Amino acid sequence: MSPSRRTALGAILSSALLLAVGAPAHAQDKQITLGFAQVGAESAWRTANTISVKSAAKDAGINLKFSDAQQKQENQIRAIRSYIAQKVDVIAFSPVVESGWEPVLNEAKAAKIPVILTDRNIDVQDKSLYVTMIGSDFLEEGRRAGHWLEDHYKNDPGPINIAELQGTVGSAPANDRHAGLMEVIKNDPKFKIIASQSGDFTLAGGKQVMEAFAKTYGKQINVVYAHNDDMALGAIQAMEEAGIQPGKDVSVVSFDATKGGFEAMIAGKINVDVECSPLLGPQLMAAVKDVVAGKQLPKRIVTNETVFPMSVAAQILPQRKY
Ligand code: AHR
């Protein structure tokens, strides 16, 4: 190498070295700590959601502090307060219920910790209390179920009596899946909700409520409208024990489209499953990184979902991820 080329190469190398050593430590170089306050472990959906959040955090190199609120708002509030005290970079949570979040979210705001909502929405006037909400449109899910019922019973003069197994009282999916259905059927007098009670999104809750419904209403029930697969599976057990054939004597409408829901469709016991995806981890981690980098995010990021009637279940099941 000629002396002049050697000098030029040396200059390039030393300036590269200077850049690497002397560069200021940017905020985005530091590992991000995310405090995540999960609802609980009430359903197969929730288990899949927790796995998705944990594995996406690992893949993204984010330090995750995870807590399980066991479906209690006070536990979630306590977890959020502890994340504030620990000065995490971002807080994310899936709110158990819609109301009552202003005080703790104002505390996060005062501490300048951005909050991301995931899965479930909250009911607050001040939308600056959170950066974005990532998750399903539960109202649209309810409408989709309602349209399926309209179509399924289009040649039936009725009455079509619906027994509703609601999710957790005050939660966004319970409120919106009910409201979405009502929006579709309210002008059609042949559809009537004759019973409605919460099974808290659990299999045991769904079974217990359905046992009571079967005792009180027996063969009057035409449709079981279960706000998630776990409750639908519990209701199926209760119906079978009461001598009612789910999927035949009674149409079963469910939400989530978990593998358990698909297996029940293949067995002819759930008639339709409205999809609700728990695989929110990668989107959440991307949003966390964007927030830390100071990027603007849309206020609402809606998950892409569909509806699975039982006729497609066997073909679709092998592709299901949760
Ligand atoms: O918030 C999503 C809902 O919560 C799912 O439908 C249900 O299975 C879960 O427990």
Side-chain angles (χ1 to χ4, degrees):
M1 194 184 290
S2 73
S4 61
R5 286 194 69 190
R6 208 176 303 131
T7 318
L9 189 66
I12 291 166
L13 281 176
S14 54
S15 55
L17 198 70
L18 233 173
L19 265 176
V21 174
H26 293 296
Q28 53 267 53
D29 296 338
K30 168 184 154 264
Q31 191 184 27
I32 298 168
T33 295
L34 167 69
F36 185 86
Q38 180 59 290
V39 169
E42 73 282 6
S43 61
W45 188 102
R46 188 65 55 197
T47 304
N49 180 248
T50 293
I51 293 170
S52 173
V53 168
K54 286 184 175 173
S55 70
K58 204 167 165 222
D59 292 349
I62 288 174
N63 173 33
L64 178 70
K65 291 180 184 289
F66 183 91
S67 62
D68 174 339
Q70 297 179 339
Q71 287 186 279
K72 291 195 173 66
Q73 183 177 32
E74 61 266 30
N75 291 346
Q76 254 185 337
I77 291 175
R78 205 173 305 124
I80 294 170
R81 289 212 165 106
S82 106
Y83 295 147
I84 296 171
Q86 292 171 64
K87 298 185 172 39
V88 299
D89 299 301
V90 181
I91 291 171
F93 76 116
S94 171
V96 178
V97 289
E98 287 194 272
S99 60
W101 296 104
E102 281 90 347
V104 73
L105 293 188
N106 271 308
E107 290 167 35
K109 191 177 177 180
K112 296 192 170 35
I113 301 177
V115 172
I116 296 177
L117 304 177
T118 175
D119 162 34
R120 298 183 183 178
N121 217 333
I122 57 173
D123 187 10
V124 286
Q125 288 287 319
D126 180 3
K127 304 286 181 212
S128 77
L129 291 177
Y130 63 90
V131 180
T132 184
M133 195 277 145
I134 304 169
S136 308
D137 181 344
F138 299 131
L139 194 66
E140 182 55 26
E141 289 177 358
R143 290 188 196 114
R144 286 176 180 162
H147 291 309
W148 182 88
L149 280 171
E150 272 189 327
D151 186 57
H152 189 69
Y153 289 104
K154 61 176 181 286
N155 299 320
D156 189 327
I160 309 297
N161 294 326
I162 303 171
E164 182 181 29
L165 292 168
Q166 290 222 5
T168 302
V169 176
S171 68
N175 292 342
D176 292 352
R177 286 171 187 166
H178 172 80
L181 170 69
M182 291 310 294
E183 202 184 292
V184 175
I185 65 169
K186 70 172 187 277
N187 296 322
D188 190 341
K190 84 178 176 197
F191 290 107
K192 196 171 166 218
I193 298 186
I194 57 165
S196 185
Q197 206 177 307
S198 172
D200 213 10
F201 283 126
T202 66
L203 189 144
K207 182 166 190 247
Q208 202 183 345
V209 173
M210 193 64 221
E211 279 164 359
F213 284 173
K215 271 198 194 110
T216 312
Y217 302 99
K219 295 212 183 319
Q220 286 176 60
I221 301 170
N222 305 108
V223 176
V224 165
Y225 183 77
H227 286 194
N228 80 344
D229 282 344
D230 298 75
M231 291 192 296
L233 296 175
I236 287 168
Q237 288 179 16
M239 281 188 266
E240 288 178 333
E241 285 169 17
I244 301 167
Q245 289 188 81
K248 292 185 183 72
D249 301 335
V250 171
S251 297
V252 180
V253 177
S254 187
F255 294 85
D256 287 353
T258 56
K259 284 184 181 166
F262 267 78
E263 279 153 10
M265 283 199 281
I266 293 167
K269 297 176 183 183
I270 289 181
N271 300 72
V272 64
D273 214 333
V274 179
E275 188 180 33
C276 175
S277 175
L279 309 177
L280 303 172
Q283 258 175 317
L284 172 61
M285 298 312 148
V288 166
K289 285 189 171 178
D290 284 349
V291 168
V292 171
K295 289 190 194 155
Q296 277 285 323
L297 284 172
K299 202 75 197 175
R300 183 75 173 93
I301 301 171
V302 182
T303 321
N304 210 357
E305 288 154 349
T306 187
V307 176
F308 298 107
M310 62 175 10
S311 55
V312 303
Q315 183 202 333
I316 302 286
L317 177 61
Q319 301 145 39
R320 297 303 288 165
K321 294 199 170 67
Y322 61 94

